[in-house]
Amino acid sequence: MDTFRAGRQLRLIAEVLATSAACEVPVWLRGGWAMDFFLGEVTRDHRDIDWFAWAGDAERLGAELARRGYRPVAGLPPEQQLDMLKDGQDLSFNLIRRDGSGRVVVGGGPWAGSPWPEDLLEPHTGRIGSLSCPIIAPRAQIEIKRMMPVWVPGSPRRAKDAEDIARLEAALAAGGPERPPP
């Protein structure tokens, strides 16, 4: 595992959390880093840092991140995802909103209005060392990793997703990770 890269990514996660707090924009870690924060340790290398944020907050969050040295980069449609780069690391903020029934859905782009798992934003805080972070619900993370190749035809089933699912399911079956008191 590249511990230098992991340390850099953890510093960026802390910076995003400070930025989101300063501009009062809630964010939730998703993907592999959300799994690691749930488990309480870095389990593997991560290519990027994935987040969720409300679509209505994207402009404010993007401006504040840019002010702090993050650079917008091309990626998915901007109404669907805010893609940023800092210190050679990719960060993506998938944009969400609530539909008329109150469900959390894709905020824009070709899948606008498609529902995310119902428990996506159940309150969960993960921690690695002294760094705490809001994360998406572990069961929602499992569903997303299982379903992405179905929801987005052509998306491959990846070995790392199967390994992540196995880690999450084992931790959930054991009652969640053991954590020392803060």
Side-chain angles (χ1 to χ4, degrees):
M1 180 181 329
D2 184 342
T3 56
F4 178 76
R5 180 183 175 122
R8 185 174 358 166
Q9 289 176 333
L10 285 166
R11 284 190 298 281
L12 290 173
I13 290 168
E15 193 171 280
V16 167
L17 292 170
T19 302
S20 75
C23 64
E24 299 180 349
V25 171
V27 294
W28 296 265
L29 203 53
R30 64 185 178 95
W33 274 113
M35 176 197 67
D36 281 0
F37 269 79
F38 176 68
L39 297 174
E41 64 181 326
V42 181
T43 63
R44 63 173 173 83
D45 285 320
H46 298 279
R47 184 181 59 82
D48 55 9
I49 306 167
D50 298 312
W51 300 88
F52 277 113
W54 294 112
D57 294 333
E59 188 174 324
R60 187 165 28 131
L61 179 61
E64 190 60 30
L65 288 168
R67 207 173 67 66
R68 295 175 187 231
Y70 291 77
R71 186 171 51 87
V73 293
L76 292 176
E79 63 276 7
Q80 181 179 339
Q81 185 164 288
L82 174 65
D83 292 301
M84 307 292 283
L85 181 72
K86 185 171 184 183
D87 297 338
Q89 302 300 305
D90 293 310
L91 297 91
S92 64
F93 297 83
N94 196 282
L95 304 177
I96 55 176
R97 63 179 176 79
R98 291 200 186 271
D99 68 8
S101 302
R103 293 177 305 182
V104 177
V105 299
V106 175
W111 295 282
S114 298
W116 285 107
E118 286 189 30
D119 59 349
L120 183 77
L121 300 182
E122 281 184 1
H124 285 277
T125 301
R127 186 172 72 231
I128 293 178
S130 62
L131 182 58
S132 296
C133 183
I135 61 173
I136 66 169
R139 291 192 194 288
Q141 183 67 42
I142 291 169
E143 183 177 346
I144 291 168
K145 284 187 171 281
R146 276 199 179 119
M147 294 302 296
M148 197 54 69
V150 174
W151 294 336
V152 183
S155 291
R157 293 207 181 268
R158 304 176 303 186
K160 72 176 184 173
D161 292 331
E163 293 164 3
D164 289 354
I165 290 167
R167 283 185 187 109
L168 287 167
E169 288 179 333
L172 289 168
E178 291 296 319
R179 295 224 169 99

